[in-house]
Amino acid sequence: MELRRNRGSLVLPVVCVLVGVALLVVPREGALLRNLVAVGAIVLGGAVLLGAFRPFRFGIGAEGLTVRRPGLRRVISWPEIDALVLDEPLPVEGNPASPRLLMVPTPGQVLGVPANARHPVDGRPAVELLDLGQVRERPDEVSAALTRYAGARFTDALQLRRAAFTVPELGVGLRGYQTDQVDKLLRAGQEALAWGGAPERQAARAEVERARAGGFTTAMRGYSTIDVDEVLLALDAALAENRSTDRETTS
């Protein structure tokens, strides 16, 4: 499977470059500020265009992963890969981040790029290979290809979290709960349900109950308090139900 780069809309950066050039070529006395704005527009638009047309390749196949990106241009064979995981950073101010594909090399393998992430399940240092916001394929399409070729090396953390507990879209408005606090708590609850043991689920439930008792900071713009209270009630119930199942299993 060969992934196709998503260049997005290039109209705005092209306009920035053209307007900047036009401002520079039209002579005018005492136009220092205008010239500075023109240069800034050219630099900004040019940087976006340069990034859009930078060499890129990402392939998933029987031999391994074919990667061509800044700092890494090679075929990474499957024996060199100990683990692959499709993960997603926490939202930023309530805005979802694009999923990332992370890789844990086999011990002793040197990729030549530093580890800049961690495996969400076991915390091992990992390398970010791909930002899925850069490609046209959907995360489920990439996940299907990796499941086919990588086998047990691959973990779809997105799917595991959703299967354990689906977080609905939360409304954003004035005088709501601070988004980063809510997102962090919901993520911890999902992961406790998805791959945590009884101690992790018990700790997550304690944090949820503490937040329900008034532990969130109110922000000028944040998540709807009604939406958050409803999802925390559901998460609390899911964690409690899972703990009951643990007791039944061990009895």
Side-chain angles (χ1 to χ4, degrees), residues 36-57:
L36 290 176
V37 171
V39 171
I42 293 172
V43 171
L44 180 61
V48 174
L49 292 173
L50 181 63
F53 290 99
R54 183 177 295 168
F56 170 85
R57 186 183 180 192

Side-chain angles (χ1 to χ4, degrees), residues 13-241:
V14 169
V15 169
C16 286
V17 172
L18 293 178
V19 170
V21 171
L23 290 175
L24 288 177
V25 298
V26 176
R28 185 176 179 181
E29 294 183 4
L32 177 60
L33 179 59
R34 189 184 70 163
N35 290 341
L36 290 176
V37 171
V39 171
I42 293 172
V43 171
L44 180 61
V48 174
L49 292 173
L50 181 63
F53 290 99
R54 183 177 295 168
F56 170 85
R57 186 183 180 192
F58 199 97
I60 306 169
E63 300 300 321
L65 302 176
T66 303
V67 183
R68 187 181 184 189
R69 41 150 274 197
L72 188 60
R73 298 186 179 188
R74 55 172 291 194
V75 174
I76 307 174
S77 65
W78 293 122
E80 296 179 87
I81 301 173
D82 195 51
L84 285 167
V85 59
L86 191 59
D87 195 19
E88 184 177 56
L90 286 168
V92 179
E93 296 183 355
N95 299 312
S98 57
R100 267 64 164 176
L101 180 63
L102 309 179
M103 170 191 159
V104 178
T106 301
Q109 295 294 334
V110 179
L111 291 181
V113 291
N116 55 0
R118 288 196 174 273
H119 195 295
V121 178
D122 55 33
R124 285 180 292 169
V127 175
E128 181 181 310
L129 290 182
L130 177 68
D131 179 347
L132 269 68
Q134 298 177 347
V135 298
R136 299 181 188 179
E137 286 72 20
R138 301 188 309 273
D140 60 316
E141 294 176 305
V142 177
S143 177
L146 289 169
T147 299
R148 175 184 177 186
Y149 290 109
R153 294 181 179 88
F154 174 62
T155 300
D156 188 341
L158 307 182
Q159 193 278 331
L160 289 178
R161 292 192 188 103
R162 285 194 301 266
F165 184 82
T166 301
V167 176
E169 183 176 351
L170 302 175
V172 178
L174 298 176
R175 304 298 297 172
Y177 289 141
Q178 192 164 316
T179 56
D180 60 341
Q181 294 180 357
V182 175
D183 289 327
K184 185 176 180 180
L185 180 61
L186 294 178
R187 175 66 61 87
Q190 281 185 306
E191 294 183 350
L193 288 168
W195 53 72
E200 288 78 15
R201 291 192 289 273
Q202 185 175 357
R205 190 184 182 204
E207 290 298 322
V208 170
E209 291 178 340
R210 188 176 297 113
R212 291 182 63 200
F216 285 129
T217 302
T218 301
M220 287 296 296
R221 184 171 179 81
Y223 286 136
S224 162
T225 57
I226 296 176
D227 290 354
V228 172
D229 290 342
E230 288 180 353
V231 75
L232 287 184
L233 179 61
L235 180 57
D236 189 17
L239 290 164
E241 180 181 355

